Amino acid sequence: MANGCSRLLFLFSILIVALSINAQGDFLYHNCSNNVGNYTSNSAYRTDLDSIFSSVSSNTVIEYGFYNVSAGQEPDEVNVIVLCRGDVRPDGCRDCIRNATQKILELCPDQKEAIGWYDEYMLRYSNKSIFRKVETDPTFYLWNPYNVTDDVSAFNQGLQTLLRELRMRAASGNSLRKFATGERNASLQTIYARVQCTPDLSEQQCLDCLDGAIKQIPDCCNGKQGGRVIQPSCNFRFENWRFYDPTANSPPPSPILVPPPASSPSPEGNGSNTARTVIIAVVPTVSVVILIICVCIFLRKKKRKDKVETGEDVTVDQINGAESLQFDFNTIRVATDNFSNANKLGQGGFGAVYKGRLPNGEEIAVKRLSRGSGQGDLEFKNEVMLVAKLQHRNLVRLLGFSLEGNERLLVYEFVPNRSLDHFIFDPTRRTRLDWERRYKIIGGIARGILYLHEDSRLRIIHRDLKTSNVLLDAEMNPKIADFGMARLFEMDETQGNTSRIVGTYGYMAPEYAMHGQFSVKSDVFSFGVLVLEIISGQRNNCFRNGETVEDLLSVAWKNWREGTMMNLIDPTLTNGSRTEIIRCIHIGLLCVQENVASRPTMASIVLMLNSYSLTLPVPSEPAFFMHSTLESDISSAMGYNSRVTESEDSRTETLPLSVNDASITELDPR
């Protein structure tokens, strides 16, 4: 009984903390617009929105309190603005934004346009253009419930004078900051105020926006000791205490924030603080009562073990989930014509890959794993079940598996256009890849790796990102193969080091190739090599410069230093923005820097590719530990579109420098 009471108290404490955190995470106001349509959970709009939100939440994005970015194409283009209060530190703003990007999607689950305000910042997104435009709708008011007790006329005159002065200072700010604060004596008291515009507005646009907001004081907070008018493009606040100075003494108790009255043009659904207080008081009480009932029922039942780790024991739901992904072996054998050589797509260190067609007509790619893995069937099923949950349009999808004695099969979706290296390194086929398609491929690969690193339920470090592991679908959209299955075969890796180096020379980060140290920055290095290959049309370690063959990274660095980056561009790229191509070369060089800490994260890279307002840092010299004597085109182990490099019965790669490819899955649930 004592044990049950202790458990009850523990759960009760957790509930109180959770409710407290949730209460602090509410927007002051939010609006979900239905004017521009909705999106679905698996749409391109949602994918791009998730990608941008991941970038916004990174530690490198919000540096000046303002961030705007676009992604995708019309009608699914995503435009996002984040505006932090000018007196809030960037790290504080970033911490709050992480909560807001989740909160807004919960409150506006499928609207293509939404906006939310906290006290310290605003988050806004839309599928229509929202940059460099004055937007006044929706508008909402907050005011101090206490009236001015002295000369109201003098207070109002002093307030108007102060706001006009601050509006001039804010409007004349630069493209990173349009914010001003100040104070003024009026009657027997001091008025403190701040004004702000989104920095993408021109000086005149900022003046006009603030003028319109200030004119709403009679409707908002006339005769009050404090108040706010908040709009998407600008806002202001005034109080009789210094609310914007973080070094000042603690302010008096926060005034009650009251939404506009019914007669005022306030947005629908803005509840009062009284209602919010009632909700905060009632919800914990009801939740605690429900919790007590559930705990009592739980304590009356017989205890049963329910392990959540994927190991020897799994729950009924886990077993059922794994079974739902299992294909009948005979079905796969018939689909591949008994694994005939005519259907063989390629072979790598872990087995051959075959094309197949299921009875329903669906085309599949089947990897027939080499025998001898020491992993048990149950563990194999659970690993496959976890990886099959990775869903992203830029990843090759694992459909399931099949088991029959010593036979282990992995079943993937079939991607028709083979791999990227089949096009980019072929003198004839590369002409099909104009700059628009190459830029789309670079962006898609970046989003796919970002998903593996930060957005998936598991944290995946690919470790073998290369052109032959990027497959192209019928519309030439990139799909990354070879991810997330290493734990099915190798058990000697740790999170940061490995005794067995796997991957492909020429794409390996130096710290990984030399010391076995891998991280998300290892994938960033490989991505940088891949970007330079896509732009140049040349393989790493064999860049042809006239009669000589040089290392691609050294050639790129040499041209960067000498300002001759045009020499690096594939001659078949006759169209396309040269500025955009040069920017991608810049990004590629940032990725292959020798210093691991200097390389950007994939979230930063996605941002760099989509936001031209972001200034790129100057790259440092890349590592030149690989030379042209090394063969970089090694067959893939997990990708099913690999070249045949060994006989069907052989288990040893025939290329002299090949290394068994694999990926590492960190089982770090999200």
Side-chain angles (χ1 to χ4, degrees):
M1 185 66 175
N3 184 45
C5 293
S6 299
R7 183 178 300 174
L8 176 60
L9 290 174
F10 172 75
L11 294 175
F12 178 83
S13 301
I14 294 296
L15 176 64
I16 293 300
V17 172
L19 288 170
S20 174
I21 293 174
N22 184 62
Q24 294 173 3
D26 292 335
F27 287 106
L28 291 176
Y29 172 73
H30 74 278
N31 181 269
C32 309
S33 174
N34 292 314
N35 296 331
V36 294
N38 298 337
Y39 64 86
T40 59
S41 59
N42 59 350
S43 64
Y45 188 90
R46 178 57 187 267
T47 300
D48 289 334
L49 186 62
D50 289 342
S51 177
I52 292 177
F53 279 179
S54 296
S55 300
V56 171
S57 301
S58 72
N59 292 327
T60 59
V61 171
I62 303 299
E63 294 297 337
Y64 299 98
F66 176 69
Y67 168 76
N68 64 323
V69 67
S70 296
Q73 303 294 327
E74 293 182 351
D76 292 318
E77 183 180 26
V78 182
N79 303 290
V80 175
I81 285 180
V82 174
L83 178 67
C84 295
R85 215 173 71 190
D87 55 331
V88 176
R89 293 176 59 85
D91 52 351
C93 187
R94 282 192 294 266
D95 292 339
C96 294
I97 287 172
R98 294 189 184 96
N99 176 67
T101 54
Q102 300 176 5
K103 193 76 173 178
I104 195 70
L105 293 178
E106 294 173 4
L107 297 172
C108 306
D110 58 0
Q111 285 85 357
K112 286 188 175 182
E113 185 175 76
I115 188 169
W117 283 276
Y118 282 87
D119 181 62
E120 296 180 339
Y121 66 93
M122 173 193 75
L123 173 65
R124 180 186 178 197
Y125 65 89
S126 176
N127 69 331
K128 67 180 183 181
S129 176
I130 58 176
F131 307 143
R132 295 174 292 279
K133 295 182 179 179
V134 176
E135 183 65 64
T136 60
D137 184 42
T139 298
F140 78 105
Y141 313 141
L142 300 171
W143 64 80
N144 191 312
Y146 301 106
N147 295 322
V148 176
T149 56
D150 299 309
D151 188 342
V152 177
S153 177
F155 182 92
N156 288 339
Q157 183 177 354
L159 174 62
Q160 289 289 334
T161 302
L162 175 60
L163 290 177
R164 284 197 298 269
E165 292 174 354
L166 295 180
R167 113 188 204 284
M168 293 297 297
R169 284 167 46 195
S172 61
N174 58 31
S175 61
L176 297 175
R177 192 176 177 88
K178 280 185 165 58
F179 175 82
T181 61
E183 59 186 80
R184 184 179 181 87
N185 291 325
S187 185
L188 299 177
Q189 57 187 307
T190 302
I191 306 173
Y192 301 89
R194 62 168 170 80
V195 301
Q196 185 171 20
C197 295
T198 58
D200 59 325
L201 298 184
S202 67
E203 181 175 352
Q204 189 59 50
Q205 285 176 316
C206 182
L207 289 172
D208 293 342
C209 185
L210 287 172
D211 278 341
I214 292 171
K215 289 179 182 178
Q216 298 189 50
I217 288 179
D219 296 328
C220 157
C221 32
N222 191 38
K224 299 296 183 180
Q225 293 181 6
R228 313 186 205 185
V229 175
I230 302 176
Q231 297 176 343
S233 296
C234 66
N235 66 83
F236 73 86
R237 181 182 182 183
F238 68 93
E239 298 287 353
N240 62 350
W241 50 276
R242 187 180 283 107
F243 57 92
Y244 54 80
D245 186 358
T247 63
N249 295 329
S250 298
S254 299
I256 300 174
L257 304 179
V258 185
S263 60
S264 187
S266 64
E268 182 181 352
N270 207 11
S272 68
N273 268 356
T274 303
R276 181 178 298 176
T277 303
V278 171
I279 292 173
I280 294 175
V282 171
V283 170
T285 304
V286 174
S287 300
V288 169
V289 171
I290 295 174
L291 176 65
I292 292 175
I293 294 173
C294 293
V295 171
C296 290
I297 294 174
F298 173 79
L299 293 177
R300 289 175 179 268
K301 291 185 177 182
K302 184 179 180 180
K303 294 182 180 179
R304 58 187 179 88
K305 295 180 180 179
D306 185 15
K307 296 185 179 180
V308 295
E309 297 95 351
T310 57
E312 293 182 1
D313 299 312
V314 292
T315 64
V316 173
D317 289 340
Q318 287 175 313
I319 294 174
N320 291 338
E323 295 301 328
S324 67
L325 298 174
Q326 186 163 359
F327 287 81
D328 178 71
F329 179 80
N330 288 328
T331 299
I332 302 300
R333 181 164 56 186
V334 172
T336 59
D337 193 18
N338 199 23
F339 306 102
S340 68
N341 286 330
N343 286 326
K344 194 171 185 180
L345 297 171
Q347 183 151 358
F350 287 123
V353 184
Y354 301 86
K355 180 180 178 180
R357 185 183 295 272
L358 296 175
N360 62 4
E362 180 182 5
E363 290 185 315
I364 57 174
V366 180
K367 174 170 282 295
R368 191 179 190 183
L369 300 179
S370 303
R371 301 177 183 179
S373 171
Q375 192 176 44
D377 289 350
L378 188 56
E379 186 179 5
F380 175 84
K381 290 181 180 181
N382 292 330
E383 293 281 2
V384 172
M385 184 179 68
L386 290 173
V387 176
K389 292 179 181 179
L390 300 175
Q391 300 291 330
H392 192 276
R393 63 174 177 168
N394 295 119
L395 302 181
V396 174
R397 189 158 54 99
L398 179 67
L399 304 178
F401 67 97
S402 178
L403 287 172
E404 179 78 15
N406 292 327
E407 291 280 5
R408 298 186 179 195
L409 310 177
L410 297 174
V411 182
Y412 294 92
E413 67 170 318
F414 178 74
V415 183
N417 266 333
R418 303 183 67 176
S419 56
L420 178 59
D421 64 333
H422 180 71
F423 289 88
I424 202 68
F425 299 136
D426 186 278
T428 302
R429 296 190 186 98
R430 76 173 62 166
T431 58
R432 295 179 55 186
L433 298 180
D434 57 15
W435 174 244
E436 183 179 356
R437 280 183 172 173
R438 296 192 197 195
Y439 190 68
K440 183 179 180 181
I441 289 170
I442 291 172
I445 297 169
R447 289 190 295 270
I449 295 297
L450 174 62
Y451 173 82
L452 294 177
H453 285 185
E454 298 187 15
D455 299 334
S456 64
R457 296 181 63 177
L458 308 175
R459 186 187 303 277
I460 310 295
I461 300 175
H462 192 287
R463 290 204 295 169
D464 198 19
L465 183 62
K466 58 183 179 180
T467 53
S468 61
N469 278 342
V470 176
L471 309 183
L472 302 175
D473 66 12
E475 286 75 37
M476 304 300 282
N477 295 309
K479 288 181 175 289
I480 301 169
D482 242 11
F483 56 88
M485 296 300 294
R487 287 178 62 90
L488 292 173
F489 318 104
E490 299 299 330
M491 306 302 294
D492 61 344
E493 294 94 352
T494 63
Q495 183 172 350
N497 294 273
T498 180
S499 60
R500 179 176 178 271
I501 307 300
V502 296
T504 305
Y505 289 123
Y507 295 89
M508 287 185 187
E511 72 278 2
Y512 177 52
M514 296 180 187
H515 308 294
Q517 299 171 353
F518 60 87
S519 66
V520 293
K521 296 298 185 73
S522 309
D523 282 351
V524 169
F525 183 95
S526 302
F527 176 79
V529 175
L530 194 150
V531 168
L532 296 175
E533 288 185 331
I534 291 174
I535 294 173
S536 67
Q538 299 284 341
R539 297 184 188 276
N540 189 25
N541 301 318
C542 60
F543 185 92
R544 297 193 177 278
N545 187 8
E547 298 297 323
T548 62
V549 178
E550 301 179 64
D551 178 276
L552 176 58
L553 300 189
S554 63
V555 171
W557 178 248
K558 178 181 177 181
N559 281 283
W560 167 267
R561 288 187 305 168
E562 297 177 356
T564 57
M565 286 181 288
M566 298 296 292
N567 295 338
L568 195 68
I569 301 174
D570 185 349
T572 64
L573 288 176
T574 57
N575 296 316
S577 168
R578 286 298 185 259
T579 301
E580 199 170 59
I581 296 174
I582 297 300
R583 184 176 177 87
C584 285
I585 294 175
H586 192 161
I587 293 171
L589 287 172
L590 289 174
C591 294
V592 298
Q593 295 176 100
E594 185 170 9
N595 186 348
V596 177
S598 298
R599 298 173 203 156
T601 62
M602 290 309 303
S604 301
I605 292 168
V606 171
L607 173 61
M608 293 175 187
L609 291 170
N610 289 282
S611 177
Y612 290 95
S613 62
L614 184 68
T615 302
L616 304 184
V618 177
S620 59
E621 186 175 8
F624 299 134
F625 73 101
M626 293 296 179
H627 298 286
S628 58
T629 55
L630 294 181
E631 175 65 61
S632 65
D633 183 27
I634 300 173
S635 67
S636 167
M638 292 299 301
Y640 62 74
N641 217 16
S642 310
R643 300 179 179 180
V644 178
T645 59
E646 62 177 5
S647 64
E648 183 174 358
D649 296 328
S650 173
R651 302 304 171 206
T652 304
E653 299 280 355
T654 58
L655 291 176
L657 289 175
S658 68
V659 182
N660 281 344
D661 306 343
S663 310
I664 180 67
T665 305
E666 299 177 28
L667 295 183
D668 181 11
R670 299 294 175 146

